[in-house]
Amino acid sequence: MSKAPPLRLGINVDHVATLRNARGGARPDPVRLALAAIAAGADGITAHLREDRRHIRDEDMARLKAEISKPLNFEMAATDDMLRISLATKPHAVCLVPERRQELTTEGGLDVVGQHNALAPYIARLTDAGIRVSLFIAADPRQIEMAAKLKAPVIEIHTGGWCDAVVDGHKDKADAEWKRIVDGVRLAQAAGLEVHAGHGLDYDTAETISALPEIRELNIGYFMMGEALFVGIAGTVREMRAAMDRGRAKAQGAAQGAAGA
């Protein structure tokens, strides 16, 4: 019987910076939130440094790298400016994401099939610097296969379409999106990729996706920042961890059932 591997929880602190930037000044401090999340049990911190600096700023990334005790996942577009900053910051990992100035949030996965020639040198430079590269992509076979060819060791599956369909009560769409995710993570593992997931996850969807033993890490931000307004970040991290543990227990139960069949 193979045991499902541990599941990590990464906390995205972008929207603490969004709130800070609404009034200017230094508060609320995303680094303080990151430290509190780690104290409550988070396994890592994610922050997206956007071209327009709408939330996280350069100094936030530098402070996060210097002050947190857990891995820093630096989300960024594949641009020369971001490459320069990430090489100077030396985070544990870089997650390459698509970015458009007019979008409210990241709207879809990176098109690694259409952009493979442009992405390859960024992946190589980051890898040579000892930074683990992740590609934020849809659960699409062509994208997953190209990610493996590009030698990025990790992919993060964009779960937004599935999560939105679940929340909106569109069962048929949710079921179709879920099947894509299940098939995608299995294909990715077979291709030798480590699989993460994120975007739009809440307690219920995090519990569901945690039952997939191929998933090694969830990165969650906006929902958790909203919940923290009511119960605090420590309570939110504990509740999310409990949801993930329930899902992982289902994965373990399924493995035991398969072994006993």
Side-chain angles (χ1 to χ4, degrees):
M1 179 186 66
S2 61
K3 185 177 180 180
L7 181 59
R8 299 184 297 269
L9 172 60
I11 306 296
N12 186 309
V13 299
D14 290 354
H15 292 294
V16 179
T18 300
L19 184 59
R20 174 196 64 192
N21 296 353
R23 289 282 295 267
R27 293 191 295 267
D29 180 10
V31 178
R32 181 182 176 188
L33 188 286
L35 293 169
I38 289 169
D43 298 299
I45 298 298
T46 292
H48 182 177
L49 186 64
R50 280 180 170 267
E51 181 186 14
D52 60 9
R53 309 304 198 267
R54 70 176 65 171
H55 38 60
I56 295 294
R57 301 170 180 161
D58 300 54
E59 58 268 27
D60 295 326
M61 299 304 298
R63 288 184 56 222
L64 284 166
K65 179 60 170 62
E67 297 183 34
I68 67 173
S69 60
K70 295 288 185 178
L72 173 62
N73 179 34
F74 188 136
E75 287 189 345
M76 66 178 224
T79 68
D80 290 344
D81 185 43
M82 289 299 153
L83 178 64
R84 175 185 60 79
I85 296 169
S86 63
L87 291 174
T89 305
K90 293 287 181 69
H92 169 77
V94 160
C95 184
L96 295 176
V97 301
E99 186 175 313
R100 294 189 305 115
R101 278 185 181 240
Q102 62 268 40
E103 68 188 359
L104 291 176
T105 184
T106 307
E107 294 175 348
L110 194 65
D111 179 13
V112 296
V113 173
Q115 300 175 29
H116 66 278
N117 287 337
L119 291 169
Y122 289 96
I123 295 169
R125 287 286 305 279
L126 291 163
T127 301
D128 288 346
I131 299 170
R132 202 169 193 217
V133 180
S134 173
L135 301 177
F136 187 65
I137 61 174
D140 176 87
R142 294 173 65 245
Q143 302 293 343
I144 292 166
E145 289 162 0
M146 182 56 71
K149 289 178 182 177
L150 285 169
K151 302 188 185 305
V154 183
I155 62 167
E156 181 168 336
I157 295 293
H158 187 303
T159 55
W162 169 60
C163 292
D164 289 346
V166 170
V167 170
D168 294 341
H170 298 156
K171 186 178 185 306
D172 289 346
K173 182 178 180 182
D175 289 347
E177 290 290 334
W178 175 247
K179 185 179 186 304
R180 281 210 318 155
I181 290 170
V182 171
D183 292 344
V185 298
R186 290 174 179 167
L187 175 63
Q189 186 180 60
L193 296 164
E194 181 171 313
V195 188
H196 302 174
H199 203 81
L201 294 167
D202 59 18
Y203 296 137
D204 292 335
T205 47
E207 179 175 342
T208 299
I209 203 167
S210 296
L212 298 180
E214 299 87 356
I215 299 286
R216 299 297 302 274
E217 180 174 305
L218 300 182
N219 287 301
I220 309 173
Y222 186 79
F223 171 78
M224 295 190 70
M225 297 308 103
E227 286 294 295
L229 293 174
F230 302 102
V231 300
I233 189 60
T236 304
V237 170
R238 286 193 293 268
E239 183 58 32
M240 184 59 73
R241 177 72 70 187
M244 292 164 59
D245 288 346
R246 290 192 298 271
R248 221 37 164 192
K250 294 174 186 175
Q252 192 60 33
Q256 290 172 338

